[in-house]
Amino acid sequence: MSASVVILPGDGIGPEVSVQACRVLETIAARIDLKLKLEEALIGGAAIDSTGGPLPAETLEMCREADAIFLGAVGGPQWADVDVDLRPEQGLLDLRRSLGLFANLRPVKTLPALAAASPLRAERLAGVDIIIVRELTGGIYFGKRGRSETEAFDTCEYSVYEIERICRIAGRLAMQRRKKVTSVDKANVLETSRLWRETATRVYKDEFPELEVEHLYIDAATMHLLSRPAEFDLMVMDNMFGDILTDEASMLAGSLGVLPSASLSVTGTGVFEPIHGSAPDIAGRGIANPCGAILSIAMLLRHALNLGDAADQVESAVRKTLESGARTADLAAVGGGESLSTSAFGDAVLAQL
Ligand code: IPM
Ligand code: MN
C-alpha cells in the first residue's frame, strides 16, 4: 500500500513538533510496509513571508491531491498587524473551508500517568474519556464581518444542513462508544443555537433512537466539564464553542500539548493537527511537547489511511513513554522532575515503538 501525506509545519513550535511526528510516521510506515510519499508545503506566517499570503495556491493544490495532511501550528506576534485576510490563522481557516473539513474530532482522555499534571483532583479524573465534535466550517468564524473606527461586527450563521451533518457524524461516533451525546449551545439567547437544538433533537430522535441525549448551555457546560468530567462521553457543538471548550478540556488531560485532532469531510482528505497553537513564547527552544502532534499521526493513520492497528501502536507507544516517566517541560514543571527536549521525547517514543 502507498500513501501521500502533505506536511504543513507552519509557525512557532509547529516545525519542531512536526519533525517528531514525521519520524513516528516514517517508522510505523516502514514497519507495516506502507510506501510513504511525504511532501512539505507552506502555510500561515511562513507562507506569508515567502509568498505574500497564508495559503498559497500551490499548497492548496498539493493538499487536494494528498491522502492526508498533517499540520503543526500557525500564527505568531510578528504577523499580528497584517491585514485580517492575510493573517496566518486565515490560511488555516481557508484550508478547512476549501477542503470541506466540517467535522473536527478532539479526543480527551486522562492517562493515569498524567493525572497529577492536571489542575483537577485525581479522583475527579478517573475514567475521563471524552470526544468533542466541533463544527469547523461554519458559524461566527466564517460569517460576515466588518469594522469602522468605532464599531465592529461578526455574524454567526448556521443552516439546518450544516447542523444535521455534524450531528449525524457525532451520532454515528456515539453509537460506537457509550451511546451518549451531549449537545452544547446557547439556545436561551442565540437564534443559531435555537436552530441547533431543534435540529439536534430531531436528528437524534429520528435517526439515533438508542442514544441518550443531553442538551447543555455553553456556560453551564464549561462548569460541568470540571465538576463531572467522567460523565461525558461525546459532546457536539458549534465552531466557537468547540474552540473554547476543547482548550478547557485539555486541562483534564494534563496539558494542551497532549491533545490531537482530526478535521474530516465526508469524502476526501483530512487534516490532522495538535490542538495547541504555535506557542511563540517557547518556539525555537526545543522544549515543546510533541505528544499532540504524534497522537495526531495516530488519528491520521486511523481515519485517513484506515490503519487502525498502526494507530493503536502509536498511541500505545506514547502512553508507555509517559508511563515510563518521560516528560517535556510543560508536564515536568508540575511534578518537579527533569524534563526532556522535544527531540529526546521523540526518541523515547520511537524506542517504545
Ligand atoms: C484551533 C485554533 C484555530 C481555531 C486558530 C489557529 C484559527 O485555535 O484549531 O483550535 O480557532 O480554530
Ligand atoms: Mn483553538
Coordinates of all heavy atoms in Angstrom, one line a residue, residues 8-11 42-48 53-56 59-60 63 69-75 84-102 104 106 134 136-138 141-142 239 243 261-263 270-278:
L8 N 2.5 20.2 6.7 CA 2.5 21.7 6.8 C 3.0 22.1 8.2 O 2.2 22.2 9.1 CB 1.0 22.2 6.6 CG 0.2 21.8 5.4 CD1 -1.2 22.2 5.5 CD2 0.9 22.4 4.1
P9 N 4.3 22.3 8.3 CA 4.9 22.6 9.6 C 4.4 23.9 10.2 O 4.1 24.0 11.4 CB 6.4 22.7 9.4 CG 6.6 22.0 8.1 CD 5.3 22.2 7.3
G10 N 4.2 25.0 9.4 CA 3.7 26.2 9.9 C 4.6 27.1 10.7 O 5.8 27.2 10.4
D11 N 4.1 27.6 11.8 CA 4.9 28.6 12.6 C 5.2 28.2 14.0 O 4.6 27.2 14.5 CB 4.1 29.9 12.6 CG 3.6 30.3 11.2 OD1 4.4 30.2 10.3 OD2 2.4 30.7 11.1
L42 N 4.0 25.2 2.4 CA 4.0 26.3 3.3 C 2.5 26.7 3.7 O 1.6 26.6 2.9 CB 4.5 27.5 2.6 CG 6.0 27.5 2.3 CD1 6.4 28.6 1.2 CD2 6.8 27.7 3.6
I43 N 2.4 27.1 4.9 CA 1.1 27.7 5.4 C 1.4 28.7 6.5 O 2.4 28.7 7.1 CB 0.1 26.6 5.9 CG1 -1.3 27.1 6.0 CG2 0.6 26.0 7.2 CD1 -2.4 26.0 6.2
G44 N 0.4 29.6 6.7 CA 0.5 30.5 7.9 C 1.5 31.6 7.6 O 1.8 32.1 6.5
G45 N 2.1 32.0 8.7 CA 3.1 33.1 8.7 C 4.3 32.7 7.8 O 4.8 33.6 7.0
A46 N 4.7 31.5 7.8 CA 5.8 31.1 7.0 C 5.5 31.3 5.5 O 6.4 31.7 4.7 CB 6.2 29.6 7.2
A47 N 4.2 31.0 5.1 CA 3.8 31.3 3.8 C 3.7 32.7 3.4 O 4.0 33.2 2.3 CB 2.5 30.6 3.5
I48 N 3.2 33.5 4.4 CA 3.1 35.0 4.2 C 4.5 35.5 3.9 O 4.7 36.3 2.9 CB 2.6 35.7 5.5 CG1 1.1 35.2 5.7 CG2 2.7 37.2 5.3 CD1 0.5 35.7 7.0
G53 N 1.0 35.4 1.0 CA -0.3 35.0 1.5 C -0.2 33.8 2.4 O 0.7 33.0 2.3
P54 N -1.2 33.6 3.3 CA -1.1 32.5 4.3 C -1.5 31.1 3.7 O -1.2 30.1 4.4 CB -2.1 32.9 5.4 CG -3.1 33.7 4.7 CD -2.4 34.4 3.6
L55 N -2.1 31.0 2.6 CA -2.4 29.7 2.0 C -2.2 29.8 0.5 O -3.1 30.0 -0.3 CB -3.9 29.3 2.2 CG -4.3 28.0 1.7 CD1 -3.6 26.8 2.3 CD2 -5.8 27.7 1.8
P56 N -0.9 29.6 0.0 CA -0.6 29.7 -1.4 C -1.4 28.6 -2.2 O -1.7 27.6 -1.7 CB 0.9 29.3 -1.4 CG 1.4 29.5 0.0 CD 0.2 29.2 0.9
T59 N 0.0 25.2 -2.2 CA -0.2 24.4 -1.0 C -1.6 23.7 -1.1 O -1.7 22.5 -0.9 CB -0.1 25.3 0.2 OG1 1.2 25.7 0.4 CG2 -0.5 24.5 1.5
L60 N -2.6 24.5 -1.5 CA -3.9 24.0 -1.5 C -4.0 22.9 -2.5 O -4.7 21.9 -2.3 CB -4.9 25.2 -1.9 CG -6.4 24.8 -1.8 CD1 -6.8 24.2 -0.5 CD2 -7.2 26.1 -2.1
C63 N -2.6 19.8 -1.2 CA -3.4 19.2 -0.2 C -4.6 18.5 -0.8 O -5.0 17.4 -0.3 CB -3.9 20.3 0.8 SG -2.6 20.9 1.9
I69 N -3.2 15.1 5.4 CA -2.4 16.3 5.6 C -2.1 16.4 7.1 O -3.0 16.2 7.9 CB -3.2 17.6 5.2 CG1 -3.5 17.5 3.7 CG2 -2.5 18.8 5.5 CD1 -4.9 18.0 3.3
F70 N -0.9 16.6 7.4 CA -0.5 16.9 8.8 C -0.1 18.3 9.0 O 0.6 18.9 8.1 CB 0.7 16.0 9.3 CG 1.2 16.4 10.6 CD1 0.6 15.8 11.8 CD2 2.1 17.3 10.8 CE1 1.0 16.2 13.0 CE2 2.6 17.7 12.1 CZ 2.0 17.2 13.2
L71 N -0.6 19.0 10.0 CA -0.3 20.4 10.2 C 0.2 20.6 11.6 O -0.3 20.1 12.6 CB -1.6 21.2 10.0 CG -1.4 22.7 10.0 CD1 -2.3 23.4 9.0 CD2 -1.9 23.3 11.4
G72 N 1.3 21.5 11.7 CA 1.9 21.7 13.0 C 1.1 22.8 13.8 O 0.3 22.5 14.6
A73 N 1.3 24.1 13.4 CA 0.5 25.2 14.0 C 0.8 26.4 13.2 O 1.7 26.5 12.4 CB 1.0 25.4 15.5
V74 N -0.2 27.4 13.3 CA 0.1 28.6 12.6 C -0.1 29.8 13.5 O -0.8 29.7 14.5 CB -0.9 28.8 11.4 CG1 -0.7 27.8 10.3 CG2 -2.4 28.8 11.9
G75 N 0.5 30.9 13.2 CA 0.3 32.2 13.9 C 1.6 32.6 14.7 O 2.5 31.9 14.9
V84 N -6.4 41.6 8.0 CA -7.1 40.4 8.5 C -7.1 39.2 7.5 O -7.0 38.0 7.9 CB -8.6 40.6 8.9 CG1 -8.7 41.2 10.3 CG2 -9.3 41.4 7.9
D85 N -7.3 39.5 6.3 CA -7.3 38.4 5.3 C -6.0 37.8 5.0 O -5.9 36.7 4.4 CB -7.9 38.9 4.0 CG -9.4 39.3 4.2 OD1 -10.1 38.6 5.0 OD2 -9.8 40.3 3.6
L86 N -5.0 38.4 5.6 CA -3.6 37.9 5.4 C -3.0 37.3 6.6 O -1.8 37.0 6.7 CB -2.7 39.0 4.8 CG -3.0 39.4 3.4 CD1 -2.1 40.6 3.0 CD2 -2.8 38.3 2.4
R87 N -3.8 37.2 7.7 CA -3.3 36.7 8.9 C -3.0 35.2 8.8 O -3.6 34.5 8.0 CB -4.3 36.8 10.1 CG -4.4 38.2 10.6 CD -5.3 38.2 11.8 NE -4.8 37.4 12.9 CZ -4.2 37.9 14.0 NH1 -4.1 39.2 14.1 NH2 -3.7 37.1 14.9
P88 N -2.0 34.7 9.5 CA -1.7 33.2 9.4 C -2.9 32.3 9.7 O -3.1 31.3 9.0 CB -0.6 33.0 10.5 CG 0.0 34.4 10.7 CD -1.1 35.4 10.4
E89 N -3.7 32.7 10.7 CA -4.9 31.9 11.1 C -5.8 31.8 9.9 O -6.5 30.8 9.8 CB -5.6 32.5 12.3 CG -4.8 32.4 13.6 CD -3.8 33.5 13.8 OE1 -3.5 34.3 12.8 OE2 -3.1 33.6 14.8
Q90 N -5.9 32.9 9.1 CA -6.8 32.8 7.9 C -6.4 31.7 7.0 O -7.3 31.1 6.3 CB -6.8 34.2 7.2 CG -8.0 34.4 6.3 CD -9.4 34.2 7.0 OE1 -9.6 34.7 8.2 NE2 -10.3 33.5 6.4
G91 N -5.1 31.4 6.9 CA -4.7 30.3 6.0 C -5.3 29.0 6.4 O -5.7 28.2 5.6
L92 N -5.3 28.8 7.7 CA -5.9 27.5 8.3 C -7.4 27.5 8.1 O -7.9 26.5 7.7 CB -5.5 27.4 9.8 CG -6.0 26.2 10.5 CD1 -5.6 24.9 9.8 CD2 -5.5 26.2 12.0
L93 N -8.0 28.6 8.4 CA -9.5 28.7 8.2 C -9.8 28.4 6.7 O -10.8 27.7 6.4 CB -10.0 30.0 8.6 CG -9.9 30.3 10.1 CD1 -10.4 31.7 10.5 CD2 -10.7 29.3 11.0
D94 N -9.1 29.0 5.8 CA -9.3 28.8 4.4 C -9.1 27.4 3.9 O -9.8 26.8 3.1 CB -8.5 29.8 3.5 CG -8.9 31.2 3.6 OD1 -10.1 31.4 4.1 OD2 -8.2 32.1 3.2
L95 N -8.1 26.8 4.5 CA -7.8 25.4 4.2 C -9.0 24.5 4.6 O -9.4 23.6 3.9 CB -6.5 24.9 4.9 CG -6.1 23.5 4.6 CD1 -5.6 23.3 3.2 CD2 -4.9 23.0 5.6
R96 N -9.4 24.7 5.9 CA -10.5 23.9 6.4 C -11.8 24.1 5.5 O -12.4 23.1 5.1 CB -10.9 24.3 7.8 CG -9.8 24.0 8.8 CD -10.1 24.6 10.2 NE -9.2 24.2 11.2 CZ -9.1 24.8 12.4 NH1 -9.9 25.8 12.7 NH2 -8.2 24.4 13.3
R97 N -12.0 25.3 5.1 CA -13.2 25.6 4.3 C -13.1 25.0 2.9 O -14.0 24.4 2.4 CB -13.4 27.1 4.3 CG -14.6 27.6 3.5 CD -15.9 27.5 4.3 NE -16.8 28.5 3.8 CZ -17.9 28.9 4.4 NH1 -18.2 28.4 5.6 NH2 -18.7 29.8 3.9
S98 N -11.9 25.2 2.3 CA -11.7 24.8 0.9 C -11.8 23.3 0.8 O -12.2 22.7 -0.2 CB -10.3 25.2 0.4 OG -10.2 26.6 0.5
L99 N -11.4 22.6 1.8 CA -11.4 21.1 1.8 C -12.7 20.5 2.4 O -12.9 19.3 2.5 CB -10.2 20.5 2.5 CG -8.8 20.9 1.9 CD1 -7.7 20.2 2.7 CD2 -8.7 20.4 0.4
G100 N -13.6 21.4 2.8 CA -14.9 21.0 3.4 C -14.7 20.2 4.6 O -15.5 19.2 4.9
L101 N -13.8 20.5 5.5 CA -13.5 19.8 6.7 C -14.4 20.3 7.8 O -14.0 21.0 8.7 CB -12.0 20.0 7.1 CG -11.0 19.6 6.0 CD1 -9.6 20.0 6.4 CD2 -11.1 18.2 5.6
F102 N -15.6 19.9 7.8 CA -16.6 20.4 8.7 C -16.6 19.7 10.1 O -17.2 20.2 11.0 CB -18.0 20.4 8.1 CG -18.6 19.0 7.9 CD1 -19.3 18.4 8.9 CD2 -18.3 18.3 6.7 CE1 -19.8 17.1 8.7 CE2 -18.8 17.0 6.5 CZ -19.6 16.4 7.6
N104 N -14.6 18.3 13.2 CA -13.4 18.3 13.9 C -13.5 17.4 15.2 O -14.3 17.6 16.0 CB -13.0 19.7 14.3 CG -11.7 19.9 15.0 OD1 -11.6 20.6 16.0 ND2 -10.7 19.2 14.5
R106 N -11.9 15.9 18.6 CA -10.9 16.2 19.5 C -11.1 15.3 20.8 O -11.8 15.6 21.7 CB -10.9 17.7 19.9 CG -10.7 18.6 18.7 CD -10.5 20.1 19.1 NE -9.9 20.7 18.0 CZ -9.5 22.0 18.0 NH1 -9.7 22.7 19.0 NH2 -8.9 22.5 16.9
R134 N -16.5 19.2 17.1 CA -16.6 20.6 16.8 C -17.0 20.9 15.4 O -16.2 20.4 14.5 CB -15.3 21.3 17.2 CG -15.2 22.7 16.8 CD -13.8 23.3 17.0 NE -13.7 24.6 16.5 CZ -12.5 25.3 16.3 NH1 -11.4 24.7 16.6 NH2 -12.5 26.5 15.8
L136 N -16.7 22.8 12.1 CA -15.4 23.5 11.8 C -15.5 24.5 10.6 O -14.5 25.2 10.4 CB -14.3 22.5 11.6 CG -12.9 22.9 11.8 CD1 -12.7 23.4 13.2 CD2 -11.9 21.8 11.5
T137 N -16.6 24.5 9.9 CA -16.5 25.3 8.7 C -17.7 26.3 8.6 O -18.0 26.9 7.6 CB -16.6 24.5 7.4 OG1 -17.7 23.6 7.4 CG2 -15.3 23.7 7.2
G138 N -18.4 26.5 9.8 CA -19.5 27.5 9.8 C -19.4 28.4 11.0 O -18.4 28.5 11.7
Y141 N -16.9 32.1 12.9 CA -15.6 32.2 12.3 C -15.6 32.5 10.8 O -14.6 32.9 10.2 CB -14.8 31.0 12.5 CG -14.3 30.8 14.0 CD1 -15.0 31.5 15.0 CD2 -13.3 30.0 14.4 CE1 -14.6 31.4 16.3 CE2 -12.9 29.9 15.7 CZ -13.6 30.5 16.7 OH -13.2 30.4 18.0
F142 N -16.8 32.2 10.2 CA -16.9 32.4 8.7 C -18.0 33.3 8.3 O -18.3 33.4 7.1 CB -17.2 31.0 8.1 CG -16.0 30.1 8.2 CD1 -15.9 29.2 9.2 CD2 -14.9 30.2 7.3 CE1 -14.7 28.4 9.4 CE2 -13.8 29.3 7.4 CZ -13.7 28.4 8.4
N239 N -18.7 25.9 16.1 CA -17.3 26.2 15.9 C -16.7 26.9 17.0 O -15.7 26.4 17.6 CB -17.2 27.0 14.6 CG -15.9 26.9 13.9 OD1 -14.9 26.6 14.6 ND2 -15.8 27.3 12.7
D243 N -14.1 25.5 20.0 CA -12.8 26.0 20.1 C -12.4 26.3 21.6 O -11.4 25.9 22.1 CB -12.6 27.3 19.3 CG -11.2 27.8 19.2 OD1 -10.3 27.0 19.4 OD2 -11.1 29.0 18.9
S261 N -6.0 16.2 17.0 CA -7.3 16.4 16.4 C -7.3 15.9 15.0 O -6.3 15.8 14.4 CB -7.7 17.9 16.5 OG -7.2 18.6 15.4
A262 N -8.5 15.6 14.5 CA -8.7 15.2 13.1 C -9.8 16.1 12.6 O -10.9 16.3 13.2 CB -9.2 13.8 13.1
S263 N -9.6 16.7 11.4 CA -10.6 17.5 10.7 C -11.0 16.8 9.5 O -10.2 16.6 8.6 CB -10.1 18.9 10.4 OG -9.6 19.5 11.6
G270 N -8.2 14.5 5.0 CA -8.4 15.2 6.3 C -7.2 15.9 6.7 O -6.1 15.6 6.2
V271 N -7.3 16.8 7.6 CA -6.2 17.5 8.2 C -6.0 17.0 9.7 O -7.0 17.0 10.4 CB -6.3 19.0 8.2 CG1 -5.2 19.7 9.0 CG2 -6.3 19.5 6.7
F272 N -4.8 16.7 10.0 CA -4.6 16.2 11.4 C -3.6 17.1 12.1 O -2.5 17.3 11.5 CB -4.1 14.7 11.3 CG -5.1 13.8 10.6 CD1 -5.1 13.8 9.2 CD2 -6.0 13.2 11.3 CE1 -6.1 13.1 8.5 CE2 -7.0 12.5 10.6 CZ -7.1 12.4 9.2
E273 N -4.0 17.6 13.2 CA -3.1 18.6 13.8 C -3.3 18.6 15.3 O -4.4 18.3 15.8 CB -3.4 20.0 13.3 CG -4.9 20.4 13.4 CD -5.2 21.8 13.0 OE1 -4.5 22.7 13.5 OE2 -6.2 22.1 12.4
P274 N -2.2 18.9 16.1 CA -2.3 19.0 17.5 C -3.2 20.3 17.8 O -3.2 21.2 17.0 CB -0.9 19.3 18.0 CG -0.2 19.7 16.8 CD -0.8 19.1 15.6
I275 N -3.9 20.3 18.9 CA -4.8 21.5 19.1 C -4.1 22.6 19.7 O -4.6 23.7 19.8 CB -6.1 21.1 19.9 CG1 -5.9 21.2 21.4 CG2 -6.7 19.8 19.5 CD1 -7.2 21.4 22.1
H276 N -2.9 22.4 20.2 CA -2.1 23.6 20.8 C -1.8 24.5 19.6 O -1.7 24.1 18.5 CB -0.8 23.1 21.4 CG 0.2 22.4 20.6 ND1 0.8 23.0 19.5 CD2 0.6 21.1 20.5 CE1 1.6 22.2 18.9 NE2 1.5 21.0 19.5
G277 N -1.5 25.7 19.9 CA -1.2 26.7 18.8 C 0.3 26.7 18.6 O 1.0 25.7 18.9
S278 N 0.8 27.9 18.1 CA 2.2 28.0 17.7 C 3.1 28.3 18.9 O 4.3 28.3 18.8 CB 2.3 29.1 16.6 OG 1.8 30.3 17.1

